[in-house]
Amino acid sequence: MFTKAIVRKPAHTYANGISTSNLGKPDYNLALKQHDAYCEALIKCGLELIILDADPKFPDSCFVEDTAVVTKDFGIITRPGDKRRLGEELAIKKVLEPLLKLHFIEEPGTLDGGDIMQANNHFYIGLSDRTNLQGSNQLSTILKKFDYEISAIPICNMLHFKTGINYLGDHNILIQKSFYYLPDFEDYNKIVVENNEAYAANSLRVNDFVIVPKGFPKTKSNIEKLGYKIIELEMSEFQKMDGGLSCLSLRF
Ligand code: CIR
C-alpha cells in the first residue's frame, strides 16, 4: 500500500519541454486541469499528497517520477539522462531528505525513474537513451544491499521502459507487444497492449485502483476483467510531451 505521493504542478513554460510526440503544443491551462484531476485521483486512492510549486526553469519538472526511485524504506535520487532536466532532482532531494534515507546516482551515471519498474522484490531497469550502464550499475549496487533482485533490459524505440510495460500487482503485467517475448516476463500473467493503444501501457496501479488514460477501451476492459477498480483520466496534454500517468508522481 502506498500512503504518500509527491507531485509537482506544471510550470507556465511547460510547452517548452522535451517532446518527440508530434501531437502539437500542449494547452497549459488544460494541462493544469488535467493535473488537478490526477491529484484528485491519487487522493481517491488514499494517498496524502506533497504538492510542489511549479518551477518554470524546468519545463519538464512536473514529471517527477524521473528524479527519484522510492521505496517505503529509502530513496535514490537520480541523475536525469537529458541535460535539460539535470537539476530537477534537487527539489525532490529536499522533500525526501527528512522522510527517507537517501542514496544518489553519481556522474557519469545517468538514470531516469521512468526506466525503473518494481514488481515486488524485483527491480527491472530499462537501459535507454536516458539510463546508461553506469547509472544502472550504481542503482543495482544500492538495491542489492537491500536484497532486491535486479534485471537490466536494453530498450529501443521508446522513451522510457515504463512507456511500454507496467506491473499491476498480483502477478499481472501490462505489456506492449515489443516486450512480449522477453524471457524476463514469461512467468507473469501478461495483459497485452495492442499497438493502437500503446499509450495505455503506462497505466498505474495505486492501492485498490488502476488509473488508466482515457480513450483506450480495449486495455481498460482487459484491466477491468482482472477485477480492478478503474479510474480513467484524460491525459492529452501530458501525452503531447511524452509523459504518462506514472511520470506525474512519486509514490511510496
Ligand atoms: C521528457 O522527455 O523527459 C519529458 N518530456 C517526459 C518525461 C516522461 N517521464 C516518464 O515517462 N517517466
Side-chain angles (χ1 to χ4, degrees):
M1 286 287 276
F2 297 120
T3 56
K4 292 189 183 66
I6 299 174
V7 295
R8 176 162 232 172
K9 288 202 176 295
H12 67 82
T13 53
Y14 176 61
N16 303 331
I18 309 162
S19 176
T20 57
S21 78
N22 291 322
L23 294 172
K25 285 267 172 207
D27 174 326
Y28 173 56
N29 287 320
L30 192 51
L32 284 179
K33 273 199 191 139
Q34 292 179 359
H35 195 266
D36 282 347
Y38 179 83
C39 291
E40 276 168 30
L42 293 183
I43 291 169
K44 184 171 174 183
C45 295
L47 303 192
E48 178 195 327
L49 297 191
I50 301 167
I51 303 176
L52 305 186
D53 287 340
D55 184 348
K57 283 196 305 301
F58 293 109
D60 285 298
S61 55
C62 59
F63 299 118
V64 287
E65 173 177 67
D66 295 318
T67 59
V69 176
V70 243
T71 73
K72 279 260 168 285
D73 308 311
F74 60 93
I76 296 142
I77 301 297
T78 69
R79 223 179 135 255
D82 187 297
K83 284 201 173 66
R84 290 165 285 187
R85 299 194 60 188
L86 257 183
E88 281 180 29
E89 72 282 6
L90 298 177
I92 305 300
K93 172 179 174 252
K94 242 191 200 164
V95 180
L96 285 177
E97 231 158 21
L99 302 176
L100 293 171
K101 161 99 179 106
L102 294 183
H103 304 263
F104 298 88
I105 301 298
E106 283 160 10
E107 208 174 350
T110 64
L111 188 136
D112 275 13
D115 282 320
I116 314 304
M117 182 180 78
Q118 183 178 5
N120 304 321
N121 71 332
H122 201 133
F123 275 88
Y124 297 88
I125 306 173
L127 296 168
S128 68
D129 287 347
R130 302 286 179 92
T131 296
N132 65 16
L133 198 55
Q134 289 98 328
S136 167
N137 288 342
Q138 289 178 29
L139 181 67
S140 303
T141 305
I142 299 162
L143 292 174
K144 277 181 186 157
K145 286 190 194 138
F146 295 91
D147 287 334
Y148 286 102
E149 287 175 46
I150 320 287
S151 307
I153 299 172
I155 64 165
C156 53
N157 300 327
M158 204 173 271
L159 173 59
H160 288 124
F161 188 48
K162 282 190 292 189
T163 309
I165 185 163
N166 277 276
Y167 183 60
L168 295 179
D170 320 298
H171 236 62
N172 296 318
I173 206 155
L174 203 53
I175 191 162
Q176 274 188 22
K177 283 196 163 153
S178 55
F179 289 142
Y180 189 83
Y181 292 106
L182 285 178
D184 306 74
F185 304 112
E186 65 189 7
D187 290 337
Y188 288 93
N189 176 38
K190 288 180 267 189
I191 300 101
V192 181
V193 179
E194 300 294 333
N195 292 339
N196 63 351
E197 296 207 352
Y199 182 70
N202 191 266
S203 293
L204 181 64
R205 170 83 187 268
V206 185
N207 298 340
D208 292 339
F209 294 88
V210 178
I211 309 178
V212 179
K214 212 175 214 148
F216 304 94
K218 184 118 196 273
T219 310
K220 179 189 168 204
S221 140
N222 286 339
I223 297 173
E224 246 164 0
K225 277 184 207 149
L226 297 168
Y228 294 114
K229 290 191 270 181
I230 305 271
I231 300 176
E232 248 188 317
L233 288 181
E234 184 53 74
M235 288 290 289
S236 60
E237 304 317 293
F238 298 109
Q239 189 175 8
K240 286 176 183 170
M241 301 307 284
D242 297 337
L245 285 159
S246 70
C247 327
L248 288 176
S249 61
L250 282 163
R251 304 148 302 275
F252 55 108

